């Protein structure tokens, strides 16, 4: 079907606007979602993804419509997944695309999507911290050997929430893979957040990780902590 159908007056642009219109009737939004899925072109499927950006006040209805959108994209197979990935790269709304990828391709593929999206974010971008923060918070819910290296640069982000997200994503991983990156953050004299320094100290104390051999750190231990040999302990 062409971009514009002269017999029905339907267009991808029109239906794309409707799926993202909170004032549209629910049934009309669903009709437009189904029309775009049936159209099936890359442009139509990308327009279908616009439903993910709309947040209705009624959370159950909102979730139901987004579930329907995920179902429609899943039915389109590789074409639906590709459109969803393109949408996630351009939008701050990636959670429902992640649900789609997890469902169709598995959690490893979903994690790969998160890491891809994070790799396009800049540590130096002072104006758009929210997507970085949400990506890192979501990664903290997952266990994957790729996460530490991807999250580590964001321990130096300008935004405290992003740094905290990177900390939690790394700390959530199994084994000692995050010790070096978190140790560097603990010994960083430019880290002024008492919350982050305190959380780092908690991680090192709980994991029984030796702290870096750093003179500045030994003179500036996080509040409430002391050294016992090479290990942090809670100060009495």
């Amino acid at each position: 079907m062409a971009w514009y159908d002269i017999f029905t007056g339907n267009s991808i642009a029109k239906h794309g606007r409707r799926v993202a219109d909170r004032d549209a009737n629910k049934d009309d939004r669903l009709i437009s979602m189904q029309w775009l899925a049936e159209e099936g072109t890359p442009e139509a499927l990308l327009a279908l993804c616009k439903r993910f950006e709309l947040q209705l006040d009624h959370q159950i209805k909102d979730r139901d419509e987004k579930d329907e959108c995920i179902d429609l994209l899943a039915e389109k197979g590789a074409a639906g997944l590709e459109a969803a990935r393109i949408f996630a790269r351009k939008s701050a709304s990636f959670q429902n695309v992640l649900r789609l990828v997890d469902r169709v391709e598995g959690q490893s593929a979903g994690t790969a999507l998160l890491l891809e999206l994070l790799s396009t974010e800049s540590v130096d971008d002072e104006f758009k911290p929210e997507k970085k923060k949400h990506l890192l918070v979501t990664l903290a819910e997952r266990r994957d050997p790729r996460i530490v290296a991807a999250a580590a640069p964001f321990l130096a982000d300008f935004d405290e929430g992003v740094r905290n997200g990177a900390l939690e994503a790394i700390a959530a991983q199994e084994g000692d893979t995050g010790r070096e990156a978190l140790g560097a953050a603990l010994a960083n004299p430019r880290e002024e957040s008492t919350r982050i320094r305190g959380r780092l100290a908690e991680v090192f104390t709980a994991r029984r990780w030796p702290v870096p051999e750093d003179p500045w750190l030994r003179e500036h231990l996080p509040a409430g902590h002391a050294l016992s040999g090479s290990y942090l302990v809670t100060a009495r």
Side-chain angles (χ1 to χ4, degrees):
M1 192 177 294
W3 178 271
Y4 183 78
D5 186 331
I6 60 173
F7 299 106
T8 65
N10 285 331
S11 70
I12 291 173
K14 181 187 78 174
H15 288 288
R17 286 192 298 270
R18 184 180 288 163
V19 300
D21 183 0
R22 70 173 55 255
D23 295 323
N25 180 275
K26 172 187 175 181
D27 290 339
D28 289 340
R29 279 198 303 269
L30 290 174
I31 288 170
S32 287
M33 288 164 56
Q34 292 162 356
W35 188 94
L36 290 165
E38 290 174 5
E39 180 77 358
T41 63
E43 295 85 0
L45 295 177
L46 188 59
L48 173 59
C49 293
K50 291 181 180 179
R51 179 58 188 84
F52 294 146
E53 291 186 327
L54 174 61
Q55 187 73 39
L56 299 178
D57 294 334
H58 195 298
Q59 294 184 2
I60 294 177
K61 291 180 180 179
D62 187 62
R63 176 83 173 198
D64 287 347
E65 287 187 32
K66 286 172 178 170
D67 286 346
E68 175 67 16
C69 189
I70 289 172
D71 289 344
L72 291 169
L73 289 165
E75 289 170 3
K76 306 306 291 187
L81 285 165
E82 179 59 22
R85 283 189 166 94
I86 291 172
F87 169 81
R89 293 181 192 120
K90 297 178 178 181
S91 172
S93 303
F94 64 86
Q95 292 287 2
N96 289 288
V97 176
L98 178 62
R99 290 172 59 208
L100 170 66
V101 174
D102 278 346
R103 169 177 151 183
V104 176
E105 296 185 320
Q107 190 172 89
S108 179
T111 301
L113 171 65
L114 292 170
L115 296 174
E116 176 198 342
L117 297 177
L118 186 63
S119 73
T120 66
E121 297 294 311
S122 171
V123 172
D124 298 323
D125 188 346
E126 299 183 8
F127 302 105
K128 298 179 180 180
E130 291 305 315
K131 188 172 184 178
K132 291 185 282 187
K133 189 186 308 181
H134 292 156
L135 285 166
L136 289 161
V137 168
T138 305
L139 283 168
E141 300 170 355
R142 296 173 177 242
R143 307 293 175 265
D144 190 287
R146 298 169 289 181
I147 290 177
V148 170
F154 295 92
L155 291 167
D157 194 87
F158 89 98
D159 184 84
E160 181 179 341
V162 173
R163 297 198 304 277
N164 188 67
L167 188 170
E168 296 297 348
I170 293 170
Q173 304 312 305
E174 298 172 346
D176 296 336
T177 56
R179 180 166 65 87
E180 183 176 352
L182 295 184
L186 183 64
N188 180 5
R190 292 185 296 276
E191 180 54 75
E192 298 179 349
S193 169
T194 55
R195 177 177 70 136
I196 288 179
R197 299 201 73 235
R199 178 62 180 131
L200 286 165
E202 289 176 1
V203 171
F204 272 78
T205 301
R207 302 288 281 270
R208 291 295 294 164
W209 283 345
V211 298
E213 295 287 336
D214 184 273
W216 180 87
L217 175 59
R218 278 159 170 70
E219 293 294 325
H220 300 84
L221 294 176
H225 289 80
L227 274 177
S228 176
S230 296
Y231 298 91
L232 280 176
V233 295
T234 303
R236 295 183 182 277

